[in-house]
Amino acid sequence: MEVQVQRSFTLFPTGAGEATPGEPYELPLTIFDRCTVDIHIAVVYAFSPPTPSNPALLNALSQTLCLFPTLTGELCHDSSGLPCFLVGGQGGGALVVEATVASTLSDHLPLEPSPELLKLHPPTAEPAHLLQVQLNRFRCGGLAVGLSCHHKVADGASMGAFLAAWGRAARGIPASAPPATLFDRSWIRPRSPPRCEFEHWGTDFIRLNDGDDDDDGRRQHYSSNNSVDPSRITNFLLHYSADFISKKLKPATNFKYTTFETLLAHLWRKITAARGLAGDLETTVRVTVNVRQRMNPPAPANYFGNLVLNAYAKAKAATLAVAEGGLEAAARMVHEAIAKADGEYAQSMVDFGALHEPEGDSLVPVYGEEGNVLSPVVDAESWLRLRFEEMEVGGGGKLCGFLPTWVPLEGLLIFLPAAGEVTGGVDVMVSMLEEQAEAMKRMSHSLD
């Protein structure tokens, strides 16, 4: 893919209805923001022609950013040394890149995971901006929007809302009111006194300055902390039709569990087999759970930020390998783990944040020391209800492809609504070592 950058610049919010106070504002990170991975998450959208012009799309983006000003803020520290967003300061803004592609969009459809996709968005290594957007115009008039955002600004649910809002603005639909709670996070408050009913060390956070002793469990970590040359890791898509899920997988669990729980349990079993893990080795699925509606009271509907928790299901490899009843048992473990990420756990997390707030950057999420090989851990991310597919820019063209870009992290599963299907099919982006990927592909639809 030959991509030629035409220009790059910084875009700032413009227009009426800004949610930003008049003066620069320091917005402290919540404990949920601090628990997220410290990287940019990048995605690519492909739209068939005709699509709105770049100026029209950028005008819509600038107006939309007025409603989501943290996206154009800066990640920094306040006077106490605690991490915060600086909104409305001298820096910030969103990086915009305009580029042309020598080929036609149809040459690259359907979109498949590939390092080539990295050319369609700005580099995510040490970026200067929290939000980066690249508009790629193909020779045929097709458009690929490459976008990345720092995860500490927002989770998938919030980014889905932002992208849907940008799409509405591009289609001329008036913007809704600014998120009323953007600068009021007082509802995320600890009890008095704060208390933690759950263990958050080693599951949500680690402490880099604790030394090597593990007598208090704070250095306990579930990942192997292994790394390999990224070239040894490959990404690929597995497609599961609605018929396969409803007529093959769910009957094996007596229809007890959701599509996500059932399919994740199936993939957990298959990836464990493809990795060739010993039968007595404990494997773990780490699931990101949206707790907006699980909190007590539920989070405001228009909250923009991070509100996710980690859930963990664990089993011996031999247990997962059992043919008769193995899928149902795995699905039950996934279901029970997700159920534990409830309002009580969320409140315990908030209290944990209050108790350890002064520790600043020494309080890091569990992702902080992981290498790029997670085995025997599986990291599962569901994008099935995040509204990413609702981004429509108008102009007569249609969304014809959506993918996260190349992610060299072994053991990652990202669940996506199947492209072109409205009946419940699911595409799963799988990231594995190349030497194990072929085995995974061969057994991916086997019910054994």
Side-chain angles (χ1 to χ4, degrees):
M1 185 185 300
E2 183 181 340
V3 179
Q4 183 68 44
V5 171
Q6 303 300 310
R7 66 166 182 154
S8 62
F9 59 95
T10 302
L11 182 73
F12 292 92
T14 59
E18 292 191 27
T20 312
E23 298 296 326
Y25 188 92
E26 289 183 349
L27 184 67
L29 271 64
T30 70
I31 192 63
F32 299 100
D33 297 330
R34 296 175 70 178
C35 192
T36 61
V37 62
D38 191 21
I39 62 172
H40 270 61
I41 305 298
V43 298
V44 170
Y45 284 89
F47 298 94
S48 61
T51 57
S53 66
N54 283 10
L57 288 171
L58 295 175
N59 181 59
L61 175 60
S62 183
Q63 293 180 32
T64 306
L65 289 173
C66 294
L67 307 179
F68 303 91
T70 45
L71 288 172
T72 55
E74 301 169 84
L75 189 59
C76 56
H77 294 81
D78 63 18
S79 57
S80 301
L82 298 178
C84 70
F85 298 113
L86 176 62
V87 180
Q90 295 295 320
L95 174 66
V96 171
V97 176
E98 294 182 280
T100 57
V101 186
S103 49
T104 65
L105 179 57
S106 60
D107 292 335
H108 307 282
L109 295 178
L111 289 182
E112 295 284 344
S114 166
E116 287 284 283
L117 293 181
L118 298 175
K119 299 177 182 179
L120 297 177
H121 65 76
T124 58
E126 300 182 359
H129 300 268
L130 299 180
L131 177 68
Q132 302 185 139
V133 177
Q134 183 167 317
L135 302 180
N136 304 277
R137 293 286 176 178
F138 289 78
R139 179 161 51 88
C140 62
L143 170 69
V145 179
L147 179 144
S148 70
C149 177
H150 201 294
H151 205 323
K152 290 194 180 297
V153 181
D155 57 19
S158 289
M159 285 305 296
F162 161 71
L163 290 166
W166 181 15
R168 288 194 300 270
R171 302 194 308 274
I173 301 173
S176 58
T181 57
L182 185 61
F183 292 100
D184 177 14
R185 300 184 170 189
S186 60
W187 59 275
I188 305 178
R189 57 180 178 271
R191 291 165 290 195
S192 182
R195 60 185 186 275
C196 298
E197 295 94 343
F198 301 91
E199 180 58 78
H200 299 284
W201 291 115
T203 54
D204 299 304
F205 289 96
I206 55 175
R207 215 176 190 172
L208 294 179
N209 61 357
D210 269 349
D212 295 326
D213 294 335
D214 193 28
D215 54 353
D216 64 352
R218 294 180 181 180
R219 293 286 298 183
Q220 182 182 357
H221 201 32
Y222 54 84
S223 174
S224 60
N225 198 22
N226 292 329
S227 291
V228 299
D229 188 312
S231 65
R232 290 183 54 194
I233 300 175
T234 185
N235 294 176
F236 55 93
L237 279 183
L238 295 175
H239 174 68
Y240 293 91
S241 68
D243 274 356
F244 182 84
I245 295 169
S246 63
K247 296 179 180 179
K248 299 291 186 180
L249 291 183
K250 286 195 174 182
T253 67
N254 292 310
F255 298 93
K256 292 179 181 179
Y257 306 107
T258 67
T259 292
F260 173 69
E261 291 166 345
T262 303
L263 186 53
L264 174 55
H266 174 74
L267 287 164
W268 184 17
R269 300 180 71 218
K270 297 307 171 185
I271 198 171
T272 298
R275 283 167 163 172
L277 300 180
D280 60 348
L281 182 66
E282 185 177 69
T283 71
T284 301
V285 167
R286 178 176 65 205
V287 187
T288 301
V289 181
N290 182 348
V291 296
R292 281 165 170 73
Q293 295 305 306
R294 296 172 178 234
M295 298 184 75
N296 186 23
N302 56 1
Y303 178 76
F304 188 83
N306 286 284
L307 278 178
V308 296
L309 292 173
N310 293 325
Y312 298 89
K314 300 184 178 183
K316 295 288 182 67
T319 301
L320 297 175
V322 174
E324 186 66 29
L327 178 58
E328 182 175 2
R332 182 183 67 253
M333 288 183 277
V334 170
H335 172 81
E336 290 174 350
I338 292 174
K340 291 178 182 178
D342 57 11
E344 291 183 1
Y345 192 96
Q347 185 61 61
S348 177
M349 180 80 132
V350 173
D351 289 12
F352 175 89
L355 290 169
H356 298 282
E357 182 181 43
E359 297 177 38
D361 288 342
S362 65
L363 184 67
V364 299
V366 292
Y367 313 99
E369 285 195 330
E370 286 182 342
N372 62 2
V373 176
L374 298 182
S375 181
V377 173
V378 176
D379 191 299
E381 309 282 340
S382 175
W383 293 9
L384 297 176
R385 298 182 180 179
L386 300 185
R387 302 174 60 192
F388 285 142
E389 70 279 7
E390 293 183 22
M391 186 186 178
E392 290 284 356
V393 297
K398 296 296 182 182
L399 177 65
C400 55
F402 165 67
L403 275 182
T405 56
W406 190 259
V407 185
L409 177 64
E410 184 275 346
L412 175 66
L413 304 176
I414 300 179
F415 292 67
L416 309 163
E421 287 194 23
V422 293
T423 56
V426 178
D427 287 334
V428 184
M429 194 194 84
V430 183
S431 185
M432 292 190 71
L433 294 177
E434 279 195 327
E435 58 264 32
Q436 299 169 354
E438 288 306 314
M440 182 67 180
K441 292 175 185 177
R442 287 195 304 270
M443 66 179 69
S444 62
H445 286 69
S446 169
L447 298 182
D448 294 336

